[in-house]
Amino acid sequence: MSSDTPPRPQKRKHRQQKYRREWEEANQWLDRVPEDDYKANCKACRRTFSVSHGGLSDVKQHAAGDLHSRNIRTQRSQAPVSQFFIAETSPEIDSITAAEVTQVYHTVKHNLSYNSADCGHKLNQKTLSDSKMVKKMTLGRTKQEALVKDVLAPKAVGDVLKILTSPPLPFSIQTDASNKGNRKMFPLAVQYFTPESGVTNKMLDFIENPDESAAGIVALLEQSLEKFGLSMDQVTAFSADNTNVNYGIHNSVFTNLKRKQNDLLRGNCHAHIVHNTVKHALDKLTVDVENVVLKVYGHFSISAKRRESLKEFCEFCDVEFQEILRHVTTRWLSLNPAIHRLMQTWTALKSYFISLGDECPKQVQALLKLNRDSTVEDEDIVEIYLLFCNNILSLFEEVVKSLESNRTTCVELYSIMDEFRQKLIQRRDDQFYGYLTRQKLQRLLPHDAHMARAEFTAFLNTAISYVEKWFDFSEENWLFSLQPLLPQHGNLTFNQIEKVATKLNLINKLKMNELYDECTTANTILRRLREEYSDAWKSKGVAARWMAVFKEVDVPNMLSIMRHILSIPASTGYVERIFSRMTNKWSDCRSRCSVELIRSELLITLNFEQTCPEFHTTALKDKELLSAARSNKKYSWKKK
């Protein structure tokens, strides 16, 4: 090439484009790459691409691609992850956690299954799709069980322990045994008194233990008390049913516990005494009343055709048809209602069985005296015996209900049992067996009437003897010393209070000089409250009246005495209710539930008394509960 040829111009170098933030306004899926200003990040495709050549044109070219378009459509059809995971700093986190815990509480309180609760929550997420809170709640079956066993159940026990330990309160321990298949279950319950809540029963534990011996039960109770940090010195009484293993003279649960706590009192079940009184007294009657009820119920319970026939006889006899009630021999209050129902349809029932002739079951014929050689008087005798039992068992039923009432305290026990005995004696002395019974007796032959009266008298004598054998009516009974504390007793004297304190070995725990002044003050308050709230005051029980006194004035020594006394149960009704709850929760449909889960559900059901809306309000304010509910430690496999 000649030197005169001009040089060829150089090609101008292309300037690279950098990522610009303003592109994100129109493309929300776009983001910068921190370490490279010449690249962009697509959040939908989860990949980076270069924008150095065309800049915004590169962005538009990527957005037009098929892969990006599919990813954008998929992203729009899915809920964002933030909807399901709540940041710890989120202002709504407590509300969501409280809602989850309350839903679980609702499930347990109403004996619902966790699967149905899980399904219900998923349904709410669909039907209440506009609720952000419902979308962010998670209530799977596993999470619900974890909340029950490791959050709510520990709180149910912890709240009770706080009351019992700070400061230490006197309390009684209650237990009993019940079978679930081939398992033997023992609940541990306590009763205590506070001026704010009155007499309170709570469950502390629910344990499987195959050892029913006295030593085995004592070891079980001691282990539970030690686990919860409670001392035997706080225990005022041991409450259980009246079996030898519990209250035998030599080697029983009570005698073994008393060696460790010398001031321990018997809190045996007096309703059990009344029930056994009926069982023994019924043996004096030639008509097997209990078997009559069982056989008649059994005859109709297995056949719809027989039931329809009885309805026709009721219509013919102009008697309103009533279902025959079932009597369960272990249920104390089921016999008399079943007898009463038989008497309501007795004319139709008797006519029905007579109409069966030879097809009538032989046992029913014998029980109702419908054999061919039976007379009309024989048939009337069965009715008379049923009328007598219906009348006298109403008295027993009234006593059992009174003993098992939530408001009955040990202060009233002696007066209830003494009044019961006096009524039995009065009926025996007056030979009063019920008004209808007396009218029917007058229609019998003299010999038959005399035999029936003799048996009714034997029934009452047996009942009186049995009650006197198993309940101490002497003034040496510690329950007798509590009579001055009854509402109808009148003014309290210091001497009476001193006798109570002496009987319960509380003298060394009290300041007796201060107690004298407190007794005077308490009498003044009681008198004023009785005058100001005359009608309302009459309806209050012993515990409610003393609660009113303690709210009015500070009398610490008197409070110590009443805390001790009112911690002693009047019956084992509370433990029996635990077993009823257990049966409802541990049904055949939930037979695979673990003992730990049933224990936790019972603790929640029995120890928390709030309604579901009330519990939600409480949960919102309980930061410790909410923190525990959010923690992964509630899952057993994450504790290790």
Side-chain angles (χ1 to χ4, degrees):
M1 180 179 291
S2 171
S3 59
D4 296 334
T5 304
R8 182 180 299 174
Q10 292 184 353
K11 188 175 181 179
R12 193 170 67 179
K13 189 175 181 179
H14 179 73
R15 183 178 179 183
Q16 289 185 324
Q17 297 286 324
K18 288 186 177 182
Y19 180 85
R20 296 183 181 181
R21 283 286 187 184
E22 56 263 28
W23 297 344
E24 297 176 6
E25 296 179 3
N27 305 281
Q28 297 181 357
W29 47 267
L30 195 63
D31 194 13
R32 66 182 293 273
V33 178
E35 65 274 8
D36 194 338
D37 292 338
Y38 299 99
K39 288 185 177 181
N41 177 49
C42 177
K43 292 184 284 187
C45 299
R46 298 182 182 179
R47 61 182 290 267
T48 61
F49 60 91
S50 175
V51 294
S52 62
H53 180 72
L56 185 59
S57 298
D58 291 337
V59 173
K60 292 180 179 179
Q61 183 179 358
H62 177 82
D66 292 339
L67 177 62
H68 179 83
S69 299
R70 285 198 302 271
N71 289 337
I72 289 294
R73 287 195 298 270
T74 302
Q75 189 180 60
R76 288 172 179 170
S77 65
Q78 293 178 342
V81 175
S82 60
Q83 176 177 306
F84 304 100
F85 295 94
I86 316 162
E88 287 290 333
T89 57
S90 171
E92 62 184 0
I93 186 170
D94 283 349
S95 298
I96 294 171
T97 306
E100 290 175 346
V101 173
T102 305
Q103 283 292 336
V104 175
Y105 179 82
H106 172 80
T107 299
V108 174
K109 273 286 188 178
H110 297 284
N111 298 329
L112 306 178
S113 75
Y114 298 117
N115 284 332
S116 68
D118 183 20
C119 178
H121 176 63
K122 291 175 181 176
L123 179 62
N124 288 337
Q125 288 181 323
K126 288 287 186 182
T127 57
L128 305 175
S129 56
D130 57 338
S131 172
K132 294 181 179 179
M133 182 174 292
V134 172
K135 289 181 179 179
K136 292 186 177 182
M137 289 172 59
T138 55
L139 283 172
R141 181 178 61 83
T142 303
K143 180 176 181 178
Q144 291 183 73
E145 288 191 18
L147 288 172
V148 168
K149 293 191 290 187
D150 298 312
V151 178
L152 290 175
K155 177 174 173 57
V157 175
D159 289 350
V160 178
L161 294 179
K162 286 179 183 177
I163 297 172
L164 294 179
T165 56
S166 54
L169 284 184
F171 63 88
S172 63
I173 52 177
Q174 309 170 61
T175 192
D176 200 353
S178 182
N179 291 326
K180 173 59 181 177
N182 58 355
R183 293 176 168 181
K184 182 69 70 173
M185 307 307 302
F186 288 84
L188 173 61
V190 295
Q191 178 171 308
Y192 57 89
F193 172 82
T194 62
E196 298 78 22
S197 304
V199 176
T200 306
N201 287 279
K202 299 291 183 183
M203 192 180 98
L204 284 184
D205 216 344
F206 188 76
I207 315 150
E208 179 181 0
N209 182 28
D211 188 358
E212 293 185 78
S213 66
I217 297 173
V218 169
L220 187 73
L221 296 175
E222 290 180 331
Q223 289 170 8
S224 292
L225 291 177
E226 184 179 356
K227 177 175 68 174
F228 296 123
L230 298 173
S231 170
M232 272 298 296
D233 293 336
Q234 294 175 251
V235 180
T236 58
F238 169 67
S239 177
D241 59 16
N242 305 331
T243 59
N244 286 331
V245 71
N246 288 325
Y247 293 106
I249 298 174
H250 300 294
N251 184 29
S252 64
V253 178
F254 178 73
T255 55
N256 289 338
L257 289 175
K258 195 168 178 62
R259 294 189 188 103
K260 304 174 186 297
Q261 218 295 51
N262 190 49
D263 296 331
L264 192 71
L265 295 170
R266 290 169 59 107
N268 56 302
C269 183
H270 297 85
H272 201 176
I273 294 174
V274 177
H275 174 253
N276 287 345
T277 302
V278 175
K279 299 285 288 184
H280 281 74
L282 285 174
D283 290 340
K284 298 299 178 180
L285 304 181
T286 53
V287 175
D288 191 348
V289 174
E290 195 169 10
N291 210 17
V292 168
V293 172
L294 293 172
K295 290 298 181 182
V296 171
Y297 171 81
H299 180 80
F300 291 102
S301 64
I302 60 174
S303 173
K305 183 178 179 181
R306 293 172 182 173
R307 178 179 177 274
E308 288 301 313
S309 297
L310 178 60
K311 290 178 70 174
E312 293 175 3
F313 273 91
C314 287
E315 185 177 353
F316 177 77
C317 297
D318 195 21
V319 174
E320 182 181 357
F321 173 76
Q322 300 278 353
E323 294 286 354
I324 305 300
L325 295 182
R326 180 188 180 191
H327 166 53
V328 181
T329 54
T330 56
R331 296 291 180 184
W332 301 347
L333 299 176
S334 66
L335 179 58
N336 194 43
I339 295 174
H340 182 69
R341 184 59 58 85
L342 286 184
M343 301 316 300
Q344 288 178 315
T345 57
W346 181 251
T347 304
L349 270 172
K350 191 168 66 171
S351 300
Y352 166 81
F353 283 116
I354 291 173
S355 70
L356 294 179
D358 293 336
E359 294 181 3
C360 181
K362 299 300 181 183
Q363 290 184 336
V364 175
Q365 283 184 352
L367 286 169
L368 301 185
K369 300 186 184 299
L370 301 178
N371 300 318
R372 291 181 179 178
D373 55 347
S374 299
T375 63
V376 176
E377 287 77 11
D378 291 333
E379 298 172 16
D380 290 340
I381 286 177
V382 177
E383 182 182 6
I384 289 172
Y385 275 72
L386 288 172
L387 285 171
F388 166 74
C389 289
N390 186 209
N391 178 266
I392 194 65
L393 291 184
S394 298
L395 176 59
F396 287 81
E397 187 176 3
E398 178 186 346
V399 174
V400 171
K401 287 181 178 179
S402 179
L403 290 170
E404 294 200 328
S405 171
N406 288 332
R407 58 179 286 169
T408 300
T409 66
C410 65
V411 176
E412 296 138 304
L413 278 180
Y414 189 93
S415 63
I416 291 173
M417 296 299 291
D418 187 53
E419 183 181 359
F420 172 55
R421 181 184 63 152
Q422 293 301 328
K423 286 183 177 180
L424 290 175
I425 293 173
Q426 189 68 45
R427 285 172 181 255
R428 180 198 62 188
D429 294 345
D430 294 343
Q431 294 188 344
F432 182 76
Y433 313 117
Y435 183 71
L436 289 177
T437 309
R438 185 171 68 177
Q439 287 184 316
K440 291 283 184 178
L441 284 171
Q442 293 172 355
R443 302 175 189 174
L444 291 180
L445 296 174
H447 177 267
D448 293 336
H450 175 74
M451 290 294 295
R453 290 190 181 94
E455 290 191 10
F456 297 160
T457 302
F459 177 100
L460 292 170
N461 282 327
T462 303
I464 294 166
S465 299
Y466 190 89
V467 170
E468 291 177 341
K469 177 182 177 181
W470 292 101
F471 186 86
D472 182 9
F473 288 96
S474 72
E475 295 184 5
E476 296 301 315
N477 188 348
W478 65 272
L479 291 171
F480 178 81
S481 66
L482 305 183
Q483 298 304 288
L485 300 173
L486 286 171
Q488 66 270 23
H489 192 273
N491 287 340
L492 281 170
T493 66
F494 176 73
N495 289 337
Q496 292 169 338
I497 294 298
E498 183 186 14
K499 286 181 181 178
V500 172
T502 302
K503 202 72 177 178
L504 301 179
N505 293 325
L506 297 176
I507 294 292
N508 295 330
K509 301 177 183 179
L510 302 171
K511 297 178 180 179
M512 299 304 291
N513 291 329
E514 294 180 7
L515 180 60
Y516 176 83
D517 295 328
E518 291 176 12
C519 183
T520 304
T521 304
N523 271 322
T524 303
I525 299 297
L526 283 168
R527 193 181 307 111
R528 179 171 61 80
L529 292 173
R530 187 162 50 240
E531 293 172 357
E532 289 183 3
Y533 308 101
S534 178
D535 295 334
W537 189 255
K538 292 178 182 178
S539 63
K540 289 181 180 291
V542 172
R545 296 190 183 194
W546 281 104
M547 286 172 64
V549 172
F550 295 138
K551 288 178 182 178
E552 290 278 337
V553 65
D554 182 23
V555 282
N557 292 283
M558 188 68 74
L559 177 58
S560 295
I561 293 175
M562 295 311 300
R563 274 178 172 166
H564 190 99
I565 292 171
L566 296 178
S567 69
I568 303 169
S571 73
T572 58
Y574 182 77
V575 176
E576 297 295 338
R577 293 183 194 108
I578 292 178
F579 290 135
S580 296
R581 297 278 189 176
M582 181 197 77
T583 303
N584 292 336
K585 292 183 177 297
W586 218 348
S587 61
D588 292 339
C589 297
R590 305 185 72 206
S591 58
R592 295 174 62 187
C593 289
S594 65
V595 174
E596 183 186 5
L597 181 60
I598 296 300
R599 168 188 176 273
S600 300
E601 291 189 1
L602 288 172
L603 286 168
I604 294 167
T605 303
L606 293 163
N607 289 7
F608 290 125
E609 298 178 355
Q610 302 105 310
T611 63
C612 296
E614 289 171 347
F615 182 83
H616 179 257
T617 303
T618 303
L620 275 173
K621 301 174 183 177
D622 193 336
K623 299 298 181 183
E624 186 178 348
L625 173 68
L626 298 177
S627 177
R630 287 192 291 268
S631 172
N632 280 337
K633 292 182 180 180
K634 64 178 175 286
Y635 298 107
S636 57
W637 62 86
K638 293 191 177 183
K639 293 178 183 177
K640 300 177 181 178

